[in-house]
Amino acid sequence: MTAIDSTKAQPFASSLSQWTRTGPTKLQPSIPGNGSSPAGDQVTLSAQAKGLMAGGLEANPAKGSPREFAITGTPPASSDPTDDYFAKMQKYFEDLNNFTKKTLGLGDRVGVGLTGDIINIMKKAAAKAGIVEPEMPASIKAMKEEREARSASEPEKEPGPGMKGTSLITLYMPEDQGGGQVELWLDNKALDKLTDLSAQNVKSSLVDLMKGDGKAAAANAAIDNGIFGKAFAENAAWHPEFRTPKARMAYFDPRAEPGESPLFMIQSKNQAGYVSQHAGDLAANLINLLKAAKD
């Protein structure tokens, strides 16, 4: 994938960033039509705000495809009276960028895409650390409501059960580190259970599902037949690599019966070495993120 070239431009761009919806084909930035994620998370930017904050970047996701949120964009010059709001949003996304990188333990040049419930979890954890999204001015709210009213007659196709039931954190690797991506898949129904677990216990309990033994084969079959497999199927036209990873580390409920799907997993088709080296720390950081966002 070349949607986010980490050697040229960072998600959460240093000058300004925003949540944007993209189709799964190329993960190219585009402006959300209604600001809603697959799980119902709201990213409420008006048409004017979206245009200013996206710097004119536009792309059309594949029809009916799941929506993904990445972080990108640079604003053009503006003399709009709401400049103060956009300046605050710029600072908010810069701080959110730094918080996300630090929380997940990522290098500065690794890009990030978020899909599903994990979006609001990340924003909630950031808010508890003092990184709070600025309140939208009444004038922008009015434009947003007007635009939503005009587009109400053309509702977008809802994502399938797989994307509604999962959250995905995608790491986009710099080209000089091999490029490609690493995926952290979470079962949304397991988020509360994961929050109550020990980060170190989860880190030490990851199971390598590429060993090829009977237990691994049963686990991979459970993945294909469960909520993750549904998400893979819904993305099959754009991301066939989801089903063919070269590395896959997973965490299972210790009380789970043999053949049950994991609570979350970390996988990659072209970054097996990265997964092998960093899966434990990614898992621990993920659990700590969930704990940080807990009410």
Side-chain angles (χ1 to χ4, degrees):
M1 291 192 179
T2 58
I4 300 177
D5 186 346
S6 298
T7 64
K8 297 178 181 178
Q10 301 295 326
F12 297 108
S14 59
S15 56
L16 176 68
S17 304
Q18 75 169 48
W19 298 102
T20 64
R21 186 181 68 211
T22 71
T25 308
K26 294 292 186 179
L27 297 178
Q28 293 173 334
S30 71
I31 307 307
N34 62 6
S36 176
S37 80
D41 307 286
Q42 296 300 309
V43 183
T44 50
L45 296 179
S46 71
Q48 179 186 17
K50 292 167 186 174
L52 287 171
M53 296 183 70
L57 291 174
E58 185 78 27
N60 295 318
K63 184 177 181 180
S65 64
R67 302 164 217 171
E68 179 163 342
F69 287 78
I71 303 137
T72 187
T74 304
S78 173
S79 58
D80 190 275
T82 57
D83 277 352
D84 180 61
Y85 169 70
F86 294 122
K88 289 178 180 178
M89 285 296 291
Q90 173 179 336
K91 181 63 164 59
Y92 170 69
F93 281 112
E94 288 174 351
D95 291 344
L96 192 58
N97 170 32
N98 294 332
F99 177 82
T100 300
K101 300 285 188 176
K102 181 178 180 181
T103 302
L104 296 178
L106 303 176
D108 290 339
R109 297 174 61 234
V110 177
V112 184
L114 304 173
T115 302
D117 290 358
I118 197 66
I119 298 168
N120 278 346
I121 290 172
M122 183 67 73
K123 295 175 78 172
K124 184 182 291 186
K128 289 192 173 187
I131 303 170
V132 180
E133 186 170 358
E135 183 177 356
M136 185 179 293
S139 59
I140 296 180
K141 287 182 180 178
M143 286 188 290
K144 169 184 171 292
E145 292 170 357
E146 180 183 355
R147 185 179 188 278
E148 289 177 347
R150 289 199 307 267
S151 61
S153 60
E154 299 179 2
E156 295 187 16
K157 183 178 179 180
E158 286 295 315
M163 294 310 296
K164 281 186 174 180
T166 58
S167 286
L168 172 62
I169 303 174
T170 307
L171 312 183
Y172 301 97
M173 307 305 294
E175 291 299 328
D176 61 1
Q177 294 181 27
Q181 65 193 50
V182 176
E183 303 138 22
L184 285 70
W185 287 92
L186 298 96
D187 183 340
N188 286 340
K189 290 183 178 180
L191 292 176
D192 289 340
K193 184 179 294 185
L194 288 169
T195 302
D196 294 331
L197 297 175
S198 161
Q200 289 305 310
N201 285 346
V202 170
K203 176 178 180 178
S204 62
S205 301
L206 292 178
V207 178
D208 186 347
L209 297 185
M210 305 307 292
K211 287 186 175 180
D213 57 23
K215 290 183 178 179
N220 284 319
I223 288 171
D224 284 340
N225 294 323
I227 191 66
F228 297 124
K230 290 179 180 178
F232 297 167
E234 290 163 17
N235 281 271
W238 307 283
H239 290 296
E241 74 276 7
F242 287 167
R243 285 196 183 275
T244 57
K246 300 298 183 184
R248 179 181 277 172
M249 304 290 290
Y251 178 81
F252 294 84
D253 187 333
R255 297 165 293 182
E257 295 294 328
E260 287 192 20
S261 186
L263 304 186
F264 80 89
M265 60 186 182
I266 302 170
Q267 67 174 32
S268 179
K269 184 168 185 175
N270 44 22
Q271 284 284 345
Y274 185 92
V275 172
S276 176
Q277 183 177 357
H278 297 285
D281 288 336
L282 286 171
N285 292 338
L286 177 61
I287 299 302
N288 288 332
L289 165 64
L290 298 177
K291 291 181 181 297
K294 186 176 181 179
D295 292 328

